[in-house]
Every structure is written in structure tokens, then in C-alpha cells.
Amino acid sequence: MQLISTIAQLRARLSAEASVAFVPTMGNLHQGHLDLMRQARLHGRCVVASIFVNPLQFGPNEDFDQYPRTLDDDCEKLQGLVDVVFAPGVNEMYPASQTVFVVPPPIADELCGAARPGHFQGMATVVCKLLNIVQPQAALFGKKDYQQLHIIRQLVAQLNMPVEVIGGETVRASDGLALSSRNQYLNEAERAEAVFLNQTLRSMREQLLSGARDFGMLEAAAVRALTARGWSVDYVAIRNQSDLKTAGAGELVVLAAARLGKTRLLDNIEVNLHP
Amino acid sequence: MQLISTIAQLRARLSAEASVAFVPTMGNLHQGHLDLMRQARLHGRCVVASIFVNPLQFGPNEDFDQYPRTLDDDCEKLQGLVDVVFAPGVNEMYPASQTVFVVPPPIADELCGAARPGHFQGMATVVCKLLNIVQPQAALFGKKDYQQLHIIRQLVAQLNMPVEVIGGETVRASDGLALSSRNQYLNEAERAEAVFLNQTLRSMREQLLSGARDFGMLEAAAVRALTARGWSVDYVAIRNQSDLKTAGAGELVVLAAARLGKTRLLDNIEVNLHP
């Protein structure tokens, strides 16, 4: 496994590769990331992981400085799983002020975008840059960040980027909590409570499968239940899997973002309603 | 020479090419385009020209419908010069509503951008799409559209696109008028007058080389001279070649856009001042 920090070196290293599969990350890797690396092996002879905490996708009051940076540990976990780790510094990715951006579709202003203005534009811009740097045949992203994956599929399709986007299933702790680098911000009590987010989504799924169709009422009940237990809820929303717009019927996804203390957690669950 | 209209066919055709040089155009080809095609041969084993009148870069009151479409003539001119002509329809380039855009840097709001809001975003978006479709090693653009070339250099650099951008010198009629597909909109009297735009820029160049340094005065005098002869002037501006910002000294470019009747003409001239 090779650790590379400059674009020029990475391009030289990859120039003779027949096929590359790429997993962009912000590091602080957990089992969810590592599953993506294993899955990547099925899509490219050479597997590249990137580790870059992208300042462009953090708001001014968000956790950019605090975000855990654990490059040595990450590299140890990646041994045997990937061929190349690309870990550029901020100056390598943004040698001058970035004034060219990729504007994501309007759905980027809803759901997580409503609470994090500019987040998805920053994400879309760095993903576009990374895809252009690595030039992979396939790129893998976790379904835990469901809206992010949707936006990446849109940007790749609409900008005709020559890459296949692959979503990886969410990996969970034994109690159901979706793995996330931000889980480590939780104190013991918060960690015990955190599982309730997934339980709420699972309960909504059951109700939908049992025939409940008043989506607004289901969403409001979930927000009330979370709020009553001390969560600060950004949203709970039942949407179409295909476009993330307000759901009709068919292939749905229930998405949620809520804060426990200062920690913002995401989760989602797909629900396929057969009419 | 092969004429291809779908992205899938183009990608299949180019998949085995070791190096591709690409000249994007809106068709209605003149000697300026053909010079770019010849220059392209120096930069790639396979030369691809695209012909696509991009609706995204035309404003609602601009000449999208009227823009000359002359595919048969264009293909004849390209015989022997290029290997592939890519001429997609609008539905091939925009199969669904385009909601992902490439936002150009702030300079896109000045000069031509001031009179054509959204133009450079539409241009940047389609150039990004075309570069992703063709995946060339080199792409060539005329220096007649000086601001466009500057913005393309910025977008390629800032989005880390793996392509070399090459500018081609402006080709002129014998009287000095820069060749442009829009010249054919001119009636006989307008065509005779049109040369005055280039004469104005050449005269400004002479004054700069002779030591004139009051740029604002030079610009204002040029606008007055053009206006007095019936031109409607969008701008005459002395800028830095490097960033197109208001010029200090050194490597300058004088840019102008002005209308004769309904026809908007562009021209520019580089001026290197040695202090």
C-alpha cells in the first residue's frame, strides 16, 4: 500500500492502471468505510482511497477543526484492503482560492441542505475534483449519506463524468446505530440514546408496511417522539428513493437528521411499498 | 472522417485511442475553427471536433434560434482535418432538465458576462460535459473569445480536469475583422464598418506602446469613437492577460464587445508593456 499526498504523484502512480475503483473519505475510518474498500475490489484492479477533510463542505459554525484526523490509524486499517491512499493537504487541493464550483440540483437545499447551507455545493465540488484527479472507473459512497449519494449520482450523470457510482449499504453497531465518524463525539448517555434514531425509522417502516399512508402524520409523530427524549430534530422525511422528492408511493426512503447534544446524527431506511 | 451523434457511440469510437485532441465548436465553421483543427493534430493522434449549439449559454433574447446551423457544409470543411465529428442533438446533451451547473469564477460577471447574464455558466457547464464525454488530452479554443478561454482555463485548473487547454490565435479577414460565425448577420454597410472595431483596438495598442497610461481615458475615447460611428458599445476594457482584472501594467489585453445593428461583435488585442 502506497501513501501519496500530491496530485502529480498520484497521477503518475495511476497512469498505467487499467481500472481504478475509488473510495473518497474524510478519514477516521470505521467498518462502513472498510466495507466500501472491500466492495471496491470487485470494481477495479487498483483500489484507491482518499482521505481529505474538505473545508469547503463545512459551514462556519460546524466541526471542521474538531473533525477527527487519524491518518496513521486509518492507513493501518487500509493495509491489505487498498493499493493507494491519497491524503492531500488543503493546499494541494486548493492551491488558490476556489472560485469555480459545482452547483448541485435544487434537492440540495432540502433535508440536510436546509440545515447546512453550502454543504452540498462544497461536497459536489470536491467530489468532482477528486474524480478528475483519480479518474476511476467506479466510485463508491455509503448509503448512510443517502442525500449525498443521490446528489453525486446526479452530478455524475448531468456532467457526463465517465465513472460508475456505487452505493454501499450502511454498516451498523450491534444495537442498530449507523456507524459514523461523528459517533465518537457522543458521551456514554448519548451513545445509549443514539440508537433511538434508528428505532424510530424502523418503527416508521413497520407502520408504512402495515398500510399507514398519512406521511405527514408519521413524520410529525417521529419528530415529537425524538424531541420528547431530548433530541433536536432537523428533519424526519418520507421521500421517493429516485428523486428524494416528497413521496407518493412505491420505493420510498425515510430520512432523518437529529442532534444529541452537539452531535448531529443521520440515518435512513428504505421502504418498498408494493401497491 | 466519422460523424457521430450519440455519447455512447463516441465513447466506443474513442475507447482505444491513445491520445485525443478536441476542438469544441458551435459549427458554422470558418478559417479560425479550421486553424484550430490543424493545430489540434499536433496534440493528439485522434482529432475530434464537436458541433453543438448549446442552448444553455444563450439568453432568452439572444440568437439561439437564428444561430446558423450548417452541419453538411461543416463536415465538408472538416474532411481530412479531423477524425471524428461529434454532433449531438439537444436531447442527447440534455436528456433531462439540467440542474447541475458549473459556476465560473467572478470574472464571468464582468465584460461579456455583464451583458449576457448566465452565459458563462452555460458555457462552463457544456464545456465540462463535453470534456467528460470526449476525455481528450488537449482541448483547443480560439483567443477571439478571450474571456471564454480564460474561464475555461480556470475551470479546468480548479476542477483538476485532466486536459491541457490550448489557445489558438484569432484569424482575421484581410481588412482585420476577426472571423466569427456572427459576421454573416452583417449587411454590406455594416460589414464595411465592422473593421473599425479592430482598428480601434490597434490604435489603443499603439497609444499604450507609445506610453499612454491613463487607461480609463483610452477606454472612454474608444467608446466615444465607436458610438459616434453608430456602434452600441458593451465595453472597451484594458485588463491583465493573467486574470482579466483591471490592468496595472505588464502583459495587458484590450477587449471590446460592441453591436452594429443587431450583431454583437467581439475582438481583443494583446499588448505587452515592458516597463
Side-chain angles (χ1 to χ4, degrees):
Chain A
M1 191 189 77
Q2 229 178 317
L3 176 62
I4 293 177
S5 63
T6 72
I7 295 166
Q9 283 174 320
L10 184 73
R11 285 192 166 143
R13 167 66 182 78
L14 298 180
S15 61
E17 291 290 347
S19 76
V20 172
F22 176 43
V23 185
T25 81
M26 297 210 301
N28 197 248
L29 304 178
H30 52 63
Q31 216 38 252
H33 297 109
L34 303 183
D35 265 25
L36 288 177
M37 308 297 166
R38 286 184 203 99
Q39 203 180 332
R41 185 63 67 189
L42 308 173
H43 297 276
R45 289 284 298 275
C46 175
V47 174
V48 177
S50 69
I51 296 180
F52 180 63
V53 184
N54 173 35
L56 222 57
Q57 72 191 68
F58 286 79
N61 298 312
E62 294 185 347
D63 56 346
F64 175 69
D65 290 329
Q66 186 197 355
Y67 199 88
R69 287 156 172 91
T70 53
L71 184 60
D72 290 349
D73 280 4
D74 291 343
C75 285
E76 214 161 287
K77 290 176 184 167
L78 292 172
Q79 280 292 357
L81 287 182
V82 310
D83 302 295
V84 176
V85 178
F86 177 53
V90 171
N91 288 338
E92 183 71 8
M93 290 297 287
Y94 302 112
S97 169
Q98 184 83 19
T99 60
V100 173
F101 299 98
V102 176
V103 180
I107 194 69
D109 298 327
E110 301 183 31
L111 303 169
C112 282
R116 306 187 68 187
H119 166 67
F120 285 120
Q121 175 169 307
M123 181 282 290
T125 302
V126 83
V127 166
C128 185
K129 285 167 67 79
L130 287 167
L131 291 175
N132 284 334
I133 291 166
V134 177
Q135 296 173 251
Q137 277 61 57
L140 296 92
F141 300 84
K143 284 170 74 169
K144 207 258 304 176
D145 299 293
Y146 204 91
Q147 187 180 10
Q148 169 175 284
L149 175 59
H150 173 78
I151 289 169
I152 290 166
R153 287 191 194 283
Q154 285 295 312
L155 93 85
V156 164
Q158 292 196 31
L159 294 183
N160 304 92
M161 301 193 81
V163 60
E164 184 187 1
V165 176
I166 295 162
E169 293 302 325
T170 302
V171 178
R172 299 179 181 280
S174 56
D175 65 354
L177 175 67
L179 296 193
S180 164
S181 301
R182 290 189 169 102
N183 291 351
Q184 69 191 259
Y185 298 158
L186 301 166
N187 65 31
E188 205 176 330
E190 289 168 343
R191 173 63 189 81
E193 173 62 22
V195 65
F196 191 69
L197 186 63
N198 182 240
Q199 286 173 359
T200 300
L201 296 182
R202 291 165 67 89
S203 148
M204 290 177 75
R205 182 173 188 277
E206 289 314 306
Q207 294 173 73
L208 287 164
L209 290 174
S210 306
R213 288 294 179 274
D214 187 337
F215 295 166
M217 208 195 65
L218 287 171
E219 294 166 351
V223 171
R224 271 197 310 276
L226 284 159
T227 307
R229 296 172 69 110
W231 293 72
S232 169
V233 179
D234 280 355
Y235 64 85
V236 177
I238 304 171
R239 299 286 175 110
N240 297 313
Q241 287 173 29
S242 59
D243 59 10
L244 296 192
K245 291 183 181 165
T246 307
E251 304 196 316
L252 308 180
V253 56
V254 191
L255 306 113
R259 295 163 209 265
L260 262 186
K262 289 187 171 175
T263 307
R264 188 169 183 277
L265 299 178
L266 295 187
D267 205 352
N268 64 78
I269 193 166
E270 290 178 328
V271 189
N272 297 322
L273 295 182
H274 303 291
Chain B
M1 193 188 77
Q2 230 179 317
L3 175 62
I4 293 179
S5 63
T6 73
I7 294 166
Q9 283 174 320
L10 184 73
R11 284 191 167 143
R13 167 65 182 79
L14 298 181
S15 61
E17 291 291 347
S19 75
V20 172
F22 176 43
V23 185
T25 80
M26 299 210 300
N28 196 247
L29 304 179
H30 52 63
Q31 214 40 251
H33 297 110
L34 302 182
D35 266 24
L36 287 177
M37 308 297 166
R38 286 184 203 100
Q39 202 180 334
R41 185 63 67 190
L42 308 173
H43 297 276
R45 288 284 297 276
C46 175
V47 174
V48 178
S50 68
I51 296 179
F52 180 62
V53 184
N54 174 37
L56 223 57
Q57 72 192 67
F58 286 79
N61 298 315
E62 293 184 349
D63 56 346
F64 175 68
D65 288 329
Q66 186 195 355
Y67 199 88
R69 288 156 172 91
T70 52
L71 184 60
D72 290 348
D73 280 3
D74 292 342
C75 285
E76 214 161 287
K77 291 177 183 168
L78 292 172
Q79 279 293 357
L81 287 182
V82 311
D83 303 294
V84 177
V85 177
F86 178 53
V90 170
N91 288 338
E92 182 71 8
M93 290 298 287
Y94 302 113
S97 167
Q98 183 84 18
T99 60
V100 173
F101 299 98
V102 176
V103 179
I107 194 70
D109 298 328
E110 301 183 32
L111 303 169
C112 282
R116 305 187 69 186
H119 165 68
F120 284 120
Q121 174 169 307
M123 181 281 292
T125 301
V126 84
V127 167
C128 185
K129 286 167 68 78
L130 286 168
L131 291 174
N132 284 333
I133 290 167
V134 178
Q135 296 173 251
Q137 277 61 57
L140 295 91
F141 300 85
K143 284 169 76 171
K144 206 259 304 176
D145 299 292
Y146 204 91
Q147 187 180 11
Q148 168 175 285
L149 175 60
H150 173 78
I151 289 169
I152 289 166
R153 287 191 194 282
Q154 284 295 312
L155 94 85
V156 163
Q158 291 196 32
L159 294 183
N160 305 94
M161 301 193 82
V163 60
E164 184 187 1
V165 175
I166 294 161
E169 294 303 325
T170 301
V171 178
R172 300 179 180 279
S174 57
D175 64 355
L177 176 66
L179 297 192
S180 163
S181 301
R182 290 189 169 102
N183 290 352
Q184 69 192 256
Y185 298 157
L186 300 167
N187 64 31
E188 204 176 334
E190 289 167 344
R191 174 61 189 83
E193 172 63 23
V195 64
F196 191 69
L197 186 62
N198 181 240
Q199 286 173 357
T200 302
L201 295 182
R202 291 165 68 90
S203 147
M204 289 177 74
R205 183 172 187 277
E206 288 314 307
Q207 293 174 72
L208 286 164
L209 289 174
S210 305
R213 288 296 178 272
D214 187 337
F215 295 165
M217 209 194 66
L218 287 171
E219 293 165 352
V223 171
R224 270 198 310 277
L226 285 158
T227 306
R229 297 172 68 108
W231 294 72
S232 168
V233 180
D234 281 354
Y235 63 85
V236 177
I238 303 171
R239 299 288 176 108
N240 296 313
Q241 286 174 29
S242 60
D243 58 10
L244 295 193
K245 291 183 182 164
T246 307
E251 303 196 317
L252 308 181
V253 56
V254 190
L255 306 113
R259 293 164 210 265
L260 262 186
K262 289 186 170 177
T263 306
R264 188 169 183 276
L265 299 177
L266 295 187
D267 205 351
N268 63 76
I269 193 166
E270 291 181 328
V271 188
N272 296 322
L273 296 182
H274 303 291

